[in-house]
Amino acid sequence: MELLEQYIREKGVVKEGNVLKVDSFLNHQMDVHLFSEMGREWKRLFADAPINKILTIEASGIGIACIAAQMFEVPVVFAKKAQSINIDGEVYASKVESFTHKRVYDVIVSKKFLSPEDHILVIDDFLANGCAVNGLIDIIEASGATLEGVGIAVEKGFQEGGKLLRERGVRLESLAIVDAMDAKTGELTFRH
């Protein structure tokens, strides 16, 4: 998606350790116009899928998922990273390692929000090693729901997450795939 690549080139910052900071428009301050365009693109890409829910993980996936859900006219369910006193009843749970935060989270979704009748589109801001997406897929499988696909804003194509998901047969639609980043020069190479 050219618009997203333009934002990344103009406003993204490449840091040591394969970190791409996009907090000025994607995952801290949010550019809602960009999110709308991303949502329209996912709607176009998944137009043939009978999606009735979008699933994401807190926190930075929520904004993107909500705007995308407007295009699909479906609700958003988000996996929480900690047990909360206001979640009642049983939950689906999975362990997820965060690339950015270098820690493992227990993520949970209340069983009342996912069922075998659901057709799920997973939406998230980044795909690096695929831990978050795989955790969400585990939850979808445990619920008996159908995974229709995964929509990612920015995939780090030089890390293994996207490759492994595609090899697993997951329908993956990443709007921008970064194949290389140079922290010294700030240069980015996108896959087309």
Short mmCIF file of all heavy atoms in Angstrom, two decimals, residues 84-124:
data_model
loop_
_atom_site.label_atom_id
_atom_site.label_comp_id
_atom_site.label_asym_id
_atom_site.label_seq_id
_atom_site.Cartn_x
_atom_site.Cartn_y
_atom_site.Cartn_z
N SER A 84 -8.20 -9.72 34.26
CA SER A 84 -8.83 -8.52 34.79
C SER A 84 -10.00 -8.92 35.68
O SER A 84 -10.68 -9.90 35.40
CB SER A 84 -9.33 -7.67 33.62
OG SER A 84 -10.12 -6.61 34.06
N ILE A 85 -10.25 -8.14 36.73
CA ILE A 85 -11.34 -8.48 37.63
C ILE A 85 -12.70 -8.32 36.97
O ILE A 85 -13.69 -8.86 37.44
CB ILE A 85 -11.29 -7.66 38.94
CG1 ILE A 85 -11.41 -6.16 38.65
CG2 ILE A 85 -10.07 -7.99 39.74
CD1 ILE A 85 -11.63 -5.32 39.89
N ASN A 86 -12.76 -7.57 35.85
CA ASN A 86 -14.07 -7.39 35.22
C ASN A 86 -14.33 -8.38 34.08
O ASN A 86 -15.31 -8.25 33.38
CB ASN A 86 -14.26 -5.94 34.74
CG ASN A 86 -13.28 -5.55 33.66
OD1 ASN A 86 -12.39 -6.31 33.31
ND2 ASN A 86 -13.43 -4.35 33.14
N ILE A 87 -13.45 -9.36 33.89
CA ILE A 87 -13.74 -10.44 32.94
C ILE A 87 -14.34 -11.58 33.74
O ILE A 87 -13.69 -12.16 34.60
CB ILE A 87 -12.48 -10.91 32.19
CG1 ILE A 87 -11.99 -9.83 31.26
CG2 ILE A 87 -12.78 -12.19 31.41
CD1 ILE A 87 -10.83 -10.23 30.39
N ASP A 88 -15.60 -11.86 33.47
CA ASP A 88 -16.27 -12.92 34.20
C ASP A 88 -16.36 -14.17 33.34
O ASP A 88 -16.40 -14.10 32.13
CB ASP A 88 -17.67 -12.46 34.65
CG ASP A 88 -18.50 -11.95 33.50
OD1 ASP A 88 -17.93 -11.62 32.44
OD2 ASP A 88 -19.74 -11.87 33.65
N GLY A 89 -16.37 -15.29 33.99
CA GLY A 89 -16.51 -16.55 33.27
C GLY A 89 -15.20 -17.09 32.75
O GLY A 89 -14.12 -16.64 33.12
N GLU A 90 -15.32 -18.05 31.86
CA GLU A 90 -14.15 -18.74 31.35
C GLU A 90 -13.53 -17.98 30.19
O GLU A 90 -14.20 -17.21 29.50
CB GLU A 90 -14.55 -20.14 30.90
CG GLU A 90 -15.02 -21.02 32.05
CD GLU A 90 -15.33 -22.43 31.59
OE1 GLU A 90 -14.74 -22.87 30.59
OE2 GLU A 90 -16.16 -23.06 32.23
N VAL A 91 -12.22 -18.23 29.98
CA VAL A 91 -11.48 -17.53 28.94
C VAL A 91 -10.68 -18.51 28.10
O VAL A 91 -10.35 -19.61 28.55
CB VAL A 91 -10.52 -16.46 29.54
CG1 VAL A 91 -11.28 -15.39 30.28
CG2 VAL A 91 -9.46 -17.10 30.42
N TYR A 92 -10.40 -18.08 26.88
CA TYR A 92 -9.39 -18.75 26.05
C TYR A 92 -8.09 -18.02 26.36
O TYR A 92 -8.08 -16.79 26.50
CB TYR A 92 -9.71 -18.62 24.56
CG TYR A 92 -11.02 -19.25 24.18
CD1 TYR A 92 -12.12 -18.47 23.82
CD2 TYR A 92 -11.17 -20.64 24.18
CE1 TYR A 92 -13.32 -19.05 23.47
CE2 TYR A 92 -12.38 -21.22 23.82
CZ TYR A 92 -13.44 -20.42 23.47
OH TYR A 92 -14.64 -21.00 23.14
N ALA A 93 -6.99 -18.76 26.45
CA ALA A 93 -5.71 -18.14 26.81
C ALA A 93 -4.58 -18.70 25.95
O ALA A 93 -4.64 -19.83 25.47
CB ALA A 93 -5.41 -18.39 28.29
N SER A 94 -3.58 -17.85 25.76
CA SER A 94 -2.37 -18.25 25.05
C SER A 94 -1.21 -17.42 25.58
O SER A 94 -1.42 -16.34 26.14
CB SER A 94 -2.55 -18.02 23.54
OG SER A 94 -1.43 -18.50 22.83
N LYS A 95 -0.02 -17.91 25.40
CA LYS A 95 1.17 -17.15 25.79
C LYS A 95 1.75 -16.49 24.54
O LYS A 95 1.85 -17.13 23.49
CB LYS A 95 2.21 -18.05 26.44
CG LYS A 95 1.76 -18.58 27.79
CD LYS A 95 2.92 -19.05 28.61
CE LYS A 95 2.50 -19.52 29.98
NZ LYS A 95 1.89 -18.51 30.82
N VAL A 96 2.13 -15.21 24.67
CA VAL A 96 2.64 -14.44 23.54
C VAL A 96 3.90 -13.71 23.98
O VAL A 96 3.90 -13.03 25.01
CB VAL A 96 1.58 -13.42 23.07
CG1 VAL A 96 2.18 -12.45 22.07
CG2 VAL A 96 0.38 -14.13 22.47
N GLU A 97 4.96 -13.85 23.18
CA GLU A 97 6.19 -13.11 23.45
C GLU A 97 6.20 -11.85 22.60
O GLU A 97 6.01 -11.91 21.39
CB GLU A 97 7.41 -13.96 23.14
CG GLU A 97 8.71 -13.25 23.46
CD GLU A 97 9.95 -14.09 23.20
OE1 GLU A 97 9.82 -15.27 22.85
OE2 GLU A 97 11.05 -13.54 23.33
N SER A 98 6.44 -10.72 23.24
CA SER A 98 6.49 -9.44 22.53
C SER A 98 7.91 -9.18 22.02
O SER A 98 8.86 -9.18 22.81
CB SER A 98 6.07 -8.30 23.46
OG SER A 98 6.38 -7.05 22.88
N PHE A 99 8.04 -8.94 20.71
CA PHE A 99 9.34 -8.60 20.13
C PHE A 99 9.83 -7.28 20.70
O PHE A 99 10.98 -7.14 21.07
CB PHE A 99 9.24 -8.50 18.60
CG PHE A 99 10.50 -8.01 17.94
CD1 PHE A 99 11.55 -8.88 17.70
CD2 PHE A 99 10.65 -6.68 17.59
CE1 PHE A 99 12.73 -8.43 17.12
CE2 PHE A 99 11.82 -6.22 17.00
CZ PHE A 99 12.86 -7.10 16.76
N THR A 100 8.93 -6.30 20.80
CA THR A 100 9.31 -4.95 21.25
C THR A 100 9.65 -4.91 22.73
O THR A 100 10.62 -4.30 23.13
CB THR A 100 8.16 -3.97 20.96
OG1 THR A 100 7.77 -4.10 19.60
CG2 THR A 100 8.58 -2.54 21.22
N HIS A 101 8.82 -5.58 23.54
CA HIS A 101 8.98 -5.47 24.99
C HIS A 101 9.82 -6.58 25.60
O HIS A 101 10.13 -6.55 26.78
CB HIS A 101 7.60 -5.41 25.67
CG HIS A 101 6.80 -4.24 25.23
ND1 HIS A 101 7.07 -2.95 25.61
CD2 HIS A 101 5.73 -4.16 24.39
CE1 HIS A 101 6.20 -2.13 25.05
NE2 HIS A 101 5.38 -2.83 24.30
N LYS A 102 10.18 -7.58 24.79
CA LYS A 102 11.04 -8.68 25.23
C LYS A 102 10.50 -9.37 26.49
O LYS A 102 11.23 -9.66 27.42
CB LYS A 102 12.48 -8.20 25.48
CG LYS A 102 13.11 -7.46 24.33
CD LYS A 102 13.50 -8.41 23.22
CE LYS A 102 14.33 -7.69 22.17
NZ LYS A 102 13.77 -7.76 20.86
N ARG A 103 9.19 -9.61 26.50
CA ARG A 103 8.61 -10.37 27.62
C ARG A 103 7.46 -11.21 27.12
O ARG A 103 6.92 -10.97 26.04
CB ARG A 103 8.20 -9.46 28.77
CG ARG A 103 7.13 -8.44 28.46
CD ARG A 103 6.75 -7.65 29.69
NE ARG A 103 5.91 -8.48 30.57
CZ ARG A 103 4.98 -8.01 31.35
NH1 ARG A 103 4.77 -6.73 31.44
NH2 ARG A 103 4.26 -8.81 32.10
N VAL A 104 7.08 -12.20 27.93
CA VAL A 104 6.00 -13.10 27.58
C VAL A 104 4.74 -12.67 28.34
O VAL A 104 4.80 -12.40 29.54
CB VAL A 104 6.36 -14.56 27.92
CG1 VAL A 104 5.18 -15.49 27.67
CG2 VAL A 104 7.58 -15.00 27.12
N TYR A 105 3.63 -12.57 27.61
CA TYR A 105 2.35 -12.19 28.19
C TYR A 105 1.39 -13.37 28.10
O TYR A 105 1.42 -14.11 27.12
CB TYR A 105 1.71 -11.04 27.41
CG TYR A 105 2.44 -9.74 27.44
CD1 TYR A 105 3.34 -9.41 26.43
CD2 TYR A 105 2.23 -8.82 28.47
CE1 TYR A 105 4.01 -8.19 26.46
CE2 TYR A 105 2.90 -7.61 28.49
CZ TYR A 105 3.79 -7.30 27.48
OH TYR A 105 4.45 -6.11 27.51
N ASP A 106 0.53 -13.50 29.10
CA ASP A 106 -0.64 -14.35 28.97
C ASP A 106 -1.71 -13.48 28.34
O ASP A 106 -2.01 -12.41 28.85
CB ASP A 106 -1.12 -14.84 30.34
CG ASP A 106 -0.19 -15.87 30.93
OD1 ASP A 106 0.16 -16.81 30.21
OD2 ASP A 106 0.18 -15.73 32.11
N VAL A 107 -2.25 -13.90 27.20
CA VAL A 107 -3.34 -13.14 26.57
C VAL A 107 -4.61 -13.96 26.68
O VAL A 107 -4.60 -15.18 26.57
CB VAL A 107 -3.04 -12.75 25.11
CG1 VAL A 107 -1.86 -11.79 25.04
CG2 VAL A 107 -2.79 -13.95 24.24
N ILE A 108 -5.71 -13.24 26.94
CA ILE A 108 -6.98 -13.91 27.19
C ILE A 108 -8.12 -13.25 26.43
O ILE A 108 -8.09 -12.05 26.17
CB ILE A 108 -7.31 -13.94 28.70
CG1 ILE A 108 -7.39 -12.51 29.26
CG2 ILE A 108 -6.32 -14.78 29.47
CD1 ILE A 108 -7.91 -12.43 30.68
N VAL A 109 -9.09 -14.07 26.06
CA VAL A 109 -10.34 -13.60 25.47
C VAL A 109 -11.46 -14.36 26.17
O VAL A 109 -11.41 -15.59 26.28
CB VAL A 109 -10.39 -13.87 23.95
CG1 VAL A 109 -11.77 -13.53 23.38
CG2 VAL A 109 -9.31 -13.10 23.21
N SER A 110 -12.47 -13.64 26.59
CA SER A 110 -13.62 -14.27 27.22
C SER A 110 -14.30 -15.22 26.23
O SER A 110 -14.50 -14.88 25.07
CB SER A 110 -14.62 -13.20 27.68
OG SER A 110 -15.80 -13.81 28.15
N LYS A 111 -14.66 -16.40 26.72
CA LYS A 111 -15.30 -17.40 25.86
C LYS A 111 -16.63 -16.92 25.30
O LYS A 111 -17.08 -17.42 24.27
CB LYS A 111 -15.47 -18.72 26.61
CG LYS A 111 -14.17 -19.46 26.80
CD LYS A 111 -14.38 -20.85 27.36
CE LYS A 111 -13.04 -21.57 27.42
NZ LYS A 111 -13.21 -22.97 27.88
N LYS A 112 -17.25 -15.92 25.94
CA LYS A 112 -18.55 -15.47 25.44
C LYS A 112 -18.44 -14.65 24.15
O LYS A 112 -19.45 -14.39 23.51
CB LYS A 112 -19.31 -14.70 26.52
CG LYS A 112 -18.71 -13.39 26.95
CD LYS A 112 -19.52 -12.79 28.08
CE LYS A 112 -18.83 -11.60 28.68
NZ LYS A 112 -19.51 -11.09 29.85
N PHE A 113 -17.21 -14.26 23.75
CA PHE A 113 -17.06 -13.43 22.56
C PHE A 113 -16.55 -14.17 21.32
O PHE A 113 -16.46 -13.57 20.25
CB PHE A 113 -16.14 -12.24 22.85
CG PHE A 113 -16.71 -11.32 23.90
CD1 PHE A 113 -15.96 -11.00 25.02
CD2 PHE A 113 -17.99 -10.81 23.78
CE1 PHE A 113 -16.49 -10.16 25.99
CE2 PHE A 113 -18.52 -9.98 24.76
CZ PHE A 113 -17.77 -9.65 25.87
N LEU A 114 -16.20 -15.45 21.45
CA LEU A 114 -15.77 -16.24 20.28
C LEU A 114 -16.51 -17.58 20.32
O LEU A 114 -16.60 -18.21 21.37
CB LEU A 114 -14.26 -16.50 20.31
CG LEU A 114 -13.35 -15.30 20.11
CD1 LEU A 114 -11.88 -15.74 20.19
CD2 LEU A 114 -13.61 -14.62 18.77
N SER A 115 -17.00 -18.00 19.15
CA SER A 115 -17.72 -19.27 19.08
C SER A 115 -17.43 -19.96 17.75
O SER A 115 -16.88 -19.34 16.83
CB SER A 115 -19.23 -19.01 19.21
OG SER A 115 -19.71 -18.42 18.01
N PRO A 116 -17.82 -21.22 17.63
CA PRO A 116 -17.60 -21.94 16.37
C PRO A 116 -18.30 -21.31 15.16
O PRO A 116 -17.92 -21.58 14.02
CB PRO A 116 -18.17 -23.34 16.66
CG PRO A 116 -18.04 -23.48 18.14
CD PRO A 116 -18.32 -22.11 18.68
N GLU A 117 -19.28 -20.46 15.38
CA GLU A 117 -19.98 -19.81 14.27
C GLU A 117 -19.22 -18.61 13.71
O GLU A 117 -19.58 -18.08 12.66
CB GLU A 117 -21.38 -19.34 14.71
CG GLU A 117 -22.34 -20.46 15.03
CD GLU A 117 -22.09 -21.09 16.40
OE1 GLU A 117 -21.76 -20.36 17.35
OE2 GLU A 117 -22.19 -22.33 16.49
N ASP A 118 -18.18 -18.18 14.42
CA ASP A 118 -17.47 -16.96 14.02
C ASP A 118 -16.44 -17.20 12.92
O ASP A 118 -15.78 -18.25 12.87
CB ASP A 118 -16.77 -16.33 15.23
CG ASP A 118 -17.77 -15.71 16.20
OD1 ASP A 118 -18.78 -15.15 15.73
OD2 ASP A 118 -17.54 -15.79 17.42
N HIS A 119 -16.34 -16.20 12.04
CA HIS A 119 -15.35 -16.17 10.96
C HIS A 119 -14.48 -14.94 11.22
O HIS A 119 -14.94 -13.81 11.07
CB HIS A 119 -16.04 -16.09 9.60
CG HIS A 119 -16.78 -17.35 9.27
ND1 HIS A 119 -16.24 -18.33 8.49
CD2 HIS A 119 -18.00 -17.80 9.68
CE1 HIS A 119 -17.10 -19.32 8.39
NE2 HIS A 119 -18.18 -19.03 9.11
N ILE A 120 -13.23 -15.19 11.60
CA ILE A 120 -12.38 -14.17 12.20
C ILE A 120 -11.32 -13.65 11.23
O ILE A 120 -10.64 -14.43 10.54
CB ILE A 120 -11.65 -14.74 13.44
CG1 ILE A 120 -12.64 -15.39 14.42
CG2 ILE A 120 -10.79 -13.68 14.10
CD1 ILE A 120 -13.59 -14.46 15.08
N LEU A 121 -11.17 -12.32 11.24
CA LEU A 121 -10.04 -11.66 10.61
C LEU A 121 -9.18 -11.10 11.73
O LEU A 121 -9.67 -10.32 12.56
CB LEU A 121 -10.49 -10.52 9.68
CG LEU A 121 -9.38 -9.66 9.08
CD1 LEU A 121 -8.44 -10.48 8.20
CD2 LEU A 121 -9.98 -8.50 8.29
N VAL A 122 -7.93 -11.50 11.79
CA VAL A 122 -6.98 -10.96 12.76
C VAL A 122 -6.36 -9.71 12.16
O VAL A 122 -5.93 -9.72 11.00
CB VAL A 122 -5.88 -11.99 13.11
CG1 VAL A 122 -4.76 -11.35 13.94
CG2 VAL A 122 -6.47 -13.18 13.85
N ILE A 123 -6.32 -8.63 12.94
CA ILE A 123 -5.69 -7.38 12.51
C ILE A 123 -4.65 -7.00 13.56
O ILE A 123 -4.93 -7.05 14.75
CB ILE A 123 -6.72 -6.23 12.38
CG1 ILE A 123 -7.75 -6.52 11.29
CG2 ILE A 123 -6.02 -4.89 12.16
CD1 ILE A 123 -7.29 -6.29 9.88
N ASP A 124 -3.46 -6.59 13.12
CA ASP A 124 -2.45 -6.09 14.06
C ASP A 124 -1.55 -5.09 13.34
O ASP A 124 -1.53 -5.03 12.11
CB ASP A 124 -1.64 -7.24 14.65
CG ASP A 124 -1.07 -6.90 16.03
OD1 ASP A 124 -1.32 -5.79 16.55
OD2 ASP A 124 -0.35 -7.75 16.60
#
